Amino acid sequence: MTDPNAIQPSELDQLPDRDPEETAEWQASLDAVTKAAGPHRAAYLMRRTLERAEGAGIALPKLLETDYVNTIPTSAEPAVDGDEEMEQRITAWNRWNAAAMVTRGSKYGVGGHIATFASAAWLYETGFNHFFKGKEADGSGDQLYIQGHASPGIYARAFLDGRLTEEHLDNFRREAGGNGLPSYPHPRRLPWLWEFPTVSMGLGPISAIYQARFNRYLTSRGIKDLTNSHVWAFLGDGEMDEPESTTALTLASREGLDNLTFVINCNLQRLDGPVRANFKIVQELEAQFRGAGWNVVKTLWGTAWDELFQLDTTGALVRRLREVPDAQVQTYQTRDAAYIREDFFGKDPALAEMAKLLSDDKILECFHYSRGGHEARKVYAAYRAALSHKGAPTVILAQTVKGHTLGTGFASKNANHQMKKLSVDEFKDMRDLLGLPIKDSDFVDGVVPYGHPGADSPEVRYLQERRAALGGPAPARRVHPVAPLPAPADKAFVAFDKGSGSQNVATTMAFVRLVKDLVRDKETGKRWVPIVPDEARTFGMESLFPSLGIYSPKGQTYEPVDRDQLMYYKEAKNGQILNEGITEAGSMADFIAASTSYATHGEAMIPFYIFYSMFGWQRTADQMWQLGDQLGRGFLVGATAGRTTLTGEGLQHADGHSPAIAATNPAALTYDPAFAYEVAAIVKDGLRRMYGEAAPGEDPNVFYYLTVYNEPMPQPAKPSAAGVDEGIVKGLYRFNTAESAGLSPAANAPRIQLLGSGTAIHWTLKAQKLLAEEWGVAADVWSATSWTELRRDALEADAALLRGEERVPYVRQALQGAEGPVLAVSDYMRQVPDQIAQWVEQDWSSLGADGFGLSDTREAARRHFGVDAESIVVAALAQLAKRGEVQATAVKEARERYGL
């Protein structure tokens, strides 16, 4: 039987020991301390030894957890550079107005959150007073990711400094009438204030990491020096459960992003209760971040705890703090001193003796109020430590009380996230606690008043002076007045107009060839940001590796295995490609940072993110919504698109619905181009609209989604008919007629209009030929480059009619006079083409790839879904038979002939 006390084998047994006797002496010393002073003393000595080793630069694995105490002791806190009493008054006004705003708005039933800012007030105020650089500072100032539910506090500060009025505050969450304030940080709704939308939990953390990384990218490439810009992300401890919150932690440490600080408000509560009821979220997060290579600063206890720690000569207090679960800490916040004496101190004789030295008031001060996140000095020390740490990002774990200063009805209550107002009496108690000069008579008809010390008061002057010294107001979003980017030479675009002749070219490859030419442009080439999630070779992009380089902050420290090949894997400090590995979420965060650089940094960048279309919108649609909210610009490219074109891969790779999801995003312009010249025309127009001279009424703050295919096909020449370019951009144009296709239909032949998008147009063209040669039917073929843009144009026309304006939808104009019924075909579910059905005057029917994908050849898959050429023929004949233009028997005959 194995002795449980025996020393177990370890990896150290594999290493040579040049002095076993010395090793044995160290081990014996540890055993002796453990026996004489106990395991806690032994653990303490070991940890102090490890700290000394780390300070001396000795390479050792780091501890994943430290004691449940502040990282920075009171004795090591730097002096605060400012007037602490003045900052206390400013913060009091902001606390009051944040609560007043939400309470006053509650009568309209619009909701709002009070408790989050109440807990985090000093985390923000300390930063605004001392650290957060504004847009007029060096570089681009700092980038602030504000916790969404804390927005009332940010509005309250903007009210105090004169950027908002009482009317704005009274229109919190009521935007329809003008002068309203959005519920959360929404740049599209309040673009002069908010830079980053954050309230979709988890997107703030990953976006902040990639923003900090993109700042380094711009600096390394010589676009803009952002050495002095810092990224601050304010997060909730409950938010860290979102997978996006922690998915990129190792990227941040691996690339040494010391221009990044996470500030996690550890109030121990999420929306419905404790974050870790039976555990300790701070310790868990510390281990997670330390393990990922981050610098961790814990700011847990206020100065009232100093006396208790000085009395703790045995370490019993520290041990007890570490073992008490978070939910019990929350309970202490709501209980009296007697309960705390019994439940907290009574568990250990040494603590029971300590408690005898403490008054009830002292116990309540410590357990009800004194948290590190509620004291400016503690927060200031943590922020200074974060900025001085080099070589790794920093996370500050600041413990607070949710609902702090709002009274016993709010503080630490499980329901406080849903509590939207304070009573008048509760406001009066809050006023007294904060020491604000608000009189009882100011509460007119039971309405809580806003508070303001006056535009020329010492508080406002101090606030504005601090911000001026730091580079202007914050948060703030500013679109710098920059000249539109010059349009690239037409040569890159018109190269596709002549077609590919006998060569088969996939539209994915056509797009890559186009970009390869565009990045050579002397004026705009350097502004392209190619983003790819570890599929560059799938998309034929490896040719860009040696010419553009893959961005790496370390350059290339190895000799690549394919160095002797023409298209070798080249990394460089100034590399242009962002090759992110297998992470669509990370790639989207990259795209968002690059696509909004025109506002964040005053530098217009042109990102294109190319991905398996199945793994784009389906997996990261929330980030695409964030992209639209943040007013991003660029090109999303869904490659290997369609439900039937990716042979053999099967269900999980077969995209039959991304255009349907994309259609739900108002900022996304969704295109399904069939031919290479269409890809070129769409990209050209996108560059004009987003980066050049947008036409009157056009919003440049959009992004394009193009689906491109991996199926090599002959690329035809661009038709010479008038209006083709306009039709490509608007979503529909006639590619050919039966006559122009050389099919010579009879003069009285039945006629049908075939609308195809993307790769489906090739089956449609084959069906056109079969209909003419085998059934005597004349078919005209139309390329539907964007069902969604056709629908949006039609919706705008409908809205114009309601305003009394005469306007005909483009789709109806384009099809005007076209003979026969319309049959629409795509490689997506039928609801994609069916978007425009109600505006088509002709009889309408559609074919699509509804249901789940499957593994097979392209031909078999298309037959399975009923979208191949033969199926199109049968559907066309069925439409014509309904109208009496062909015999009904023709439909049955065609089904039998084609084996359907």
Side-chain angles (χ1 to χ4, degrees), residues 614 618 643 654-662 827-829 832:
M614 183 65 166
Q618 175 170 299
R643 182 146 279 164
D655 171 25
H657 52 282
S658 71
I661 304 174
D827 203 18
Y828 298 94
M829 55 201 307
V832 174

Side-chain angles (χ1 to χ4, degrees), residues 468-540:
L470 286 164
R477 180 181 183 273
R478 183 175 300 172
V479 178
H480 302 263
V482 293
L485 294 182
D490 269 348
K491 181 181 179 181
F493 302 106
V494 300
F496 297 92
D497 289 356
K498 62 184 179 182
S500 64
S502 60
Q503 182 183 8
N504 289 336
V505 176
T507 52
T508 297
M509 182 53 65
F511 176 82
V512 173
R513 288 182 184 176
L514 174 63
V515 170
K516 192 173 182 179
D517 288 338
L518 292 175
V519 296
R520 294 192 183 115
D521 185 86
K522 292 182 179 179
E523 296 290 336
T524 60
K526 69 178 182 179
R527 298 195 175 273
W528 283 87
V529 183
I531 302 168
V532 59
D534 199 39
E535 290 285 359
R537 297 182 192 278
T538 301
F539 307 138

Side-chain angles (χ1 to χ4, degrees), residues 250-268:
T250 53
L251 167 73
S253 61
R254 184 170 65 245
E255 299 203 0
L257 298 181
D258 50 24
N259 61 338
L260 170 67
T261 298
F262 276 14
V263 182
I264 303 181
N265 178 18
C266 297
N267 58 32
L268 314 185

Side-chain angles (χ1 to χ4, degrees), residues 671-747:
Y671 287 91
D672 187 24
F675 306 123
Y677 66 80
E678 293 178 353
V679 172
I682 293 165
V683 171
K684 181 180 180 180
D685 189 70
L687 291 172
R688 175 199 62 79
R689 176 169 178 173
M690 294 185 291
Y691 299 97
E693 297 286 354
E698 276 187 328
D699 182 4
N701 298 315
V702 296
F703 59 93
Y704 283 62
Y705 175 53
L706 282 72
T707 49
V708 292
Y709 299 83
N710 71 324
E711 184 174 14
M713 301 292 287
Q715 295 296 323
K718 182 179 178 179
S720 59
V724 170
D725 284 333
E726 179 189 27
I728 291 172
V729 173
K730 289 192 171 181
L732 183 68
Y733 70 96
R734 183 156 50 195
F735 175 72
N736 69 15
T737 63
E739 290 78 8
S740 65
L743 298 175
S744 305

Side-chain angles (χ1 to χ4, degrees), residues 800-818:
L801 285 173
L802 291 176
R803 296 192 299 268
E805 304 170 17
E806 288 295 329
R807 181 174 164 189
V808 179
Y810 176 79
V811 64
R812 189 170 294 167
Q813 296 177 45
L815 291 171
Q816 188 174 12

Side-chain angles (χ1 to χ4, degrees), residues 70-342:
N70 294 347
T71 302
I72 305 170
T74 301
S75 60
E77 293 171 3
V80 176
D81 179 23
D83 187 332
E84 295 182 63
E85 183 180 347
M86 181 69 73
E87 292 174 18
Q88 186 84 35
R89 295 205 300 271
I90 291 171
T91 303
W93 285 117
N94 292 338
R95 286 183 182 279
W96 176 273
N97 288 322
M101 177 195 328
V102 177
T103 297
R104 286 168 66 125
S106 66
K107 66 181 178 181
Y108 301 106
V110 294
H113 301 286
I114 303 176
T116 296
F117 178 73
S119 69
W122 277 115
L123 303 180
Y124 292 105
E125 293 296 321
T126 304
F128 287 129
N129 288 328
H130 300 281
F131 295 97
F132 304 157
K133 294 188 288 291
K135 292 297 181 184
E136 296 161 18
D138 291 343
S140 302
D142 289 351
Q143 289 79 58
L144 309 180
Y145 288 78
I146 305 295
Q147 194 177 358
H149 293 113
S151 61
I154 309 305
Y155 291 139
R157 191 170 223 273
F159 169 64
L160 200 65
D161 72 10
R163 292 195 291 166
L164 293 177
T165 65
E166 285 194 15
E167 181 184 6
H168 286 113
L169 300 193
D170 265 346
N171 285 326
F172 175 59
R173 291 195 170 196
R174 295 192 300 139
E175 300 176 79
N179 282 331
L181 298 179
S183 52
Y184 303 122
H186 291 311
R188 188 168 285 274
R189 290 299 182 205
L190 202 62
W192 61 267
L193 180 72
W194 298 121
E195 276 197 291
F196 308 109
T198 53
V199 83
S200 187
M201 298 294 183
L203 298 191
I206 190 173
S207 295
I209 289 173
Y210 280 88
Q211 181 67 57
R213 195 284 197 89
F214 189 72
N215 290 358
R216 289 283 176 83
Y217 170 88
L218 290 179
T219 301
S220 296
R221 291 195 54 218
I223 303 291
K224 186 172 186 178
D225 185 358
L226 298 172
T227 305
N228 293 323
S229 287
H230 199 84
V231 178
W232 301 82
F234 289 84
L235 317 168
D237 47 1
E239 181 178 7
M240 301 310 294
D241 284 345
E242 289 284 3
E244 293 89 351
S245 295
T246 56
T247 188
L249 296 185
T250 53
L251 167 73
S253 61
R254 184 170 65 245
E255 299 203 0
L257 298 181
D258 50 24
N259 61 338
L260 170 67
T261 298
F262 276 14
V263 182
I264 303 181
N265 178 18
C266 297
N267 58 32
L268 314 185
Q269 288 183 251
R270 50 188 172 206
L271 274 61
D272 293 323
V275 177
R276 292 289 184 274
N278 297 296
F279 305 93
K280 301 193 79 65
I281 185 61
V282 168
Q283 300 300 91
E284 179 181 319
L285 291 174
E286 179 184 27
Q288 193 168 18
F289 278 87
R290 281 182 177 272
W294 286 53
N295 176 46
V296 179
V297 176
K298 293 197 292 191
T299 303
L300 308 180
W301 308 111
T303 52
W305 282 84
D306 288 349
E307 179 183 344
L308 276 66
F309 289 124
Q310 290 171 3
L311 294 172
D312 183 30
T313 58
T314 66
L317 176 62
V318 173
R319 292 195 297 274
R320 181 68 178 136
L321 287 173
R322 185 165 183 166
E323 71 187 20
V324 175
D326 284 352
Q328 191 63 24
V329 174
Q330 183 182 347
T331 298
Y332 294 149
Q333 177 69 33
T334 63
R335 299 300 177 87
D336 59 21
Y339 178 88
I340 299 171
R341 285 182 186 277
E342 179 181 352

